[in-house]
Structures are given as structure tokens and as C-alpha cells.
């Protein structure tokens, strides 16, 4: 994976995390005293990525200030590009085509953490030979499940917050330059671009069965902080 550029989508408003994001952008919400963006960069840097591009938008100057003032691992370069306040996810990547260049690159969201083996993701991508790889996960359900038997409604048991039976988009993408043919300034990555890639047989899914969490709400932020405080942060794969 070393040598591949990494794009981190950092431009959204984080409206469902308003307890924090009215004053700071979502990627700067802290986990264990450091922004979640710091954790994501550390995860990728530990797998050999050195060229990191932050696709900024909302409160871009704050992210630029953080990136410029942080001491990164040796050899890691973190650049900020303002891709517009209201630009959707696909448009942000499209606007980085000249920055990324004509080579394979990785991309992920600025609010997701996992203990995913990123070298395995890249190896999987190289083996299938298509344009795009998306890491998919089976998230833990928000509520416990009641198991009911038959038509009479007899309760047979309970399961506390089981994993979903369905796979969802977990981020941690790998793209070939051909992905830019599917993108426009107004495209939402998760809609027409990924749907088009799938329809053309150019999108493959890497199944990740380990830890994954998206910091979407205040409750998610609390849970991630608790894991860090307890010394049980699965995404901390660096020394």
C-alpha cells in the first residue's frame, strides 16, 4: 500500500453531531483527547501510507490549522485541499483528480474507525483487477433483538445488539483512476458513482468482520471515548 495517495473526506457539516459540530468540523471531534482525524491518519500511516490529502469544506481553516500544527509520523505528508463547503462526497473526490494524479489511490471518510487490515484490502483490490474496492461491514444493531417463535408469539429468547445480517458500506476504498469517469462535481459517491461501477462489474466488496464504528452521533462519540479510556480501542494498531 505504500506509495498510494490517500484521500480523507473531511468537508461535511456533521449535522447529526451538532453537540460538537456547530463550533468545529466533525473530523476534529476528539477521541481520547485527539481528533478522530488523527486516529484515521495514524491507522493508514501504520500501514505505510505517507501521502495524505484532506478534502476539506466546512470550517476548512480549522482542519488546515490542525494538520499544519500536528507532528506526524516520519515521512508522512498531510495536505489540505478546499473542495467547497457544499460539495457532495463524489464531487470532492472529482475535484482532487489533478492532486491524486494518474495512479491508484485510497479513500475513506473522516468519521470511521476500524481494525481493518488495509494491506489486505489493497491485495484484494489488486487481485480482482476492477476499478473500485469498497470495504463492507455488518454493523452492530442499535437495539437488542427479541426472538419470537411461530404464530402464537411465544418469546424464545433475547440477543443483545447482534450484528446485522446485511453488509453496508464501511468506507476504506481503493480506486483506480478510471473512477473519475463515474464522478462529477455534483455526484454523491454513494449513489450514481458506486451504483454505476456496480452495474458495470467494476466494484468489488472486501468483507471486514472485525471492529468498525462510524461516529455519526453524540452517543457514538461517547462510546469511542469510553473504549479509548478503557484501553480497549481495537483500531489502535500502531505502536
Amino acid at each position: 500500500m505504500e506509495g498510494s495517495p490517500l484521500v480523507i473526506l473531511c468537508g461535511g457539516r456533521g449535522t447529526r453531531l451538532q453537540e460538537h459540530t456547530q463550533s468545529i468540523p466533525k473530523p476534529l471531534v476528539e477521541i481520547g483527547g485527539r481528533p478522530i482525524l488523527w486516529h484515521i491518519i495514524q491507522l493508514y500511516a501504520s500501514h505505510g501510507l505517507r501521502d495524505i490529502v484532506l478534502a476539506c469544506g466546512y470550517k476548512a481553516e480549522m482542519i488546515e490549522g490542525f494538520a499544519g500544527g500536528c507532528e506526524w509520523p516520519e515521512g508522512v505528508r498531510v495536505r489540505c485541499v478546499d473542495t467547497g463547503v457544499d460539495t457532495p462526497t463524489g464531487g470532492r473526490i472529482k475535484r482532487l483528480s489533478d492532486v491524486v494524479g494518474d495512479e491508484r489511490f485510497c479513500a475513506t471518510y473522516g468519521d470511521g474507525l476500524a481494525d481493518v487490515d488495509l494491506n489486505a484490502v489493497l491485495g484484494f483490490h489488486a487481485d480482482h483487477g476492477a476499478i473500485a474496492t469498497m470495504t463492507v461491514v455488518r454493523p452492530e444493531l442499535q437495539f437488542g433483538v427479541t426472538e419470537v417463535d411461530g404464530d402464537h408469539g411465544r418469546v424464545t429468547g433475547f440477543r443483545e445488539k447482534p450484528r446485522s445480517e446485511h453488509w453496508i458500506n464501511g468506507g476504506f476504498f481503493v480506486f483506480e483512476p478510471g473512477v473519475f469517469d463515474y464522478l462529477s462535481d455534483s455526484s454523491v459517491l454513494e449513489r450514481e458513482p458506486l451504483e454505476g461501477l456496480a452495474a458495470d462489474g467494476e466494484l468489488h466488496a472486501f468483507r471486514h468482520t472485525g471492529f468498525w464504528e462510524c461516529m455519526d452521533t453524540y452517543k457514538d462519540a461517547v462510546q469511542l471515548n469510553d473504549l479509548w479510556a478503557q484501553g480497549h480501542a481495537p483500531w489502535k494498531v500502531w505502536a
Side-chain angles (χ1 to χ4, degrees):
M1 181 170 286
E2 188 169 355
S4 299
L6 165 66
V7 172
I8 305 180
L9 296 167
C10 297
R13 295 179 183 275
T15 54
R16 283 177 286 191
L17 197 60
Q18 289 185 357
E19 293 86 348
H20 295 289
T21 56
Q22 289 182 349
S23 58
I24 61 172
K26 189 177 183 182
L28 296 188
V29 174
E30 292 188 348
I31 305 298
R34 291 184 180 270
I36 189 171
L37 179 59
W38 178 87
H39 294 261
I40 297 168
I41 292 173
Q42 293 292 332
L43 172 63
Y44 273 93
S46 71
H47 285 81
L49 264 81
R50 297 289 183 263
D51 184 13
I52 297 169
V53 181
L54 307 183
C56 303
Y58 176 66
K59 296 187 181 295
E61 69 285 354
M62 296 186 71
I63 292 179
E64 291 170 5
F66 162 71
C70 191
E71 184 175 341
W72 300 110
E74 184 177 356
V76 171
R77 178 175 65 154
V78 180
R79 294 179 283 165
C80 296
V81 178
D82 192 341
T83 54
V85 174
D86 296 317
T87 309
T89 48
R92 293 191 190 283
I93 296 176
K94 179 69 171 180
R95 293 185 179 189
L96 293 174
S97 58
D98 291 340
V99 177
V100 171
D102 189 23
E103 61 180 313
R104 176 181 299 166
F105 67 98
C106 300
T108 197
Y109 302 108
D111 62 0
L113 293 171
D115 59 356
V116 60
D117 183 342
L118 296 168
N119 289 319
V121 177
L122 193 70
F124 172 82
H125 177 83
D127 287 343
H128 66 62
I131 291 175
T133 293
M134 174 178 70
T135 299
V136 295
V137 297
R138 294 172 59 224
E140 186 179 87
L141 297 179
Q142 183 178 358
F143 303 103
V145 172
T146 302
E147 296 178 332
V148 182
D149 182 35
D151 297 331
H152 299 290
R154 184 172 66 88
V155 174
T156 59
F158 301 90
R159 283 188 293 159
E160 181 63 23
K161 297 184 179 180
R163 287 192 178 274
S164 170
E165 297 178 0
H166 302 286
W167 297 95
I168 68 166
N169 171 13
F172 301 100
F173 301 96
V174 184
F175 293 125
E176 297 296 327
V179 72
F180 292 111
D181 295 335
Y182 292 81
L183 298 170
S184 70
D185 281 348
S186 61
S187 62
V188 177
L189 175 64
E190 301 77 15
R191 296 177 186 169
E192 290 87 354
L194 291 184
E195 291 169 358
L197 286 162
D200 292 344
E202 294 289 349
L203 177 63
H204 288 241
F206 178 88
R207 296 179 179 89
H208 174 60
T209 57
F211 174 85
W212 176 88
E213 185 63 58
C214 174
M215 190 183 65
D216 199 40
T217 66
Y218 178 73
K219 180 180 178 182
D220 298 330
V222 170
Q223 290 175 338
L224 289 170
N225 270 289
D226 286 347
L227 286 172
W228 187 269
Q230 295 161 7
H232 300 306
W235 67 89
K236 187 182 182 300
V237 297
W238 57 90

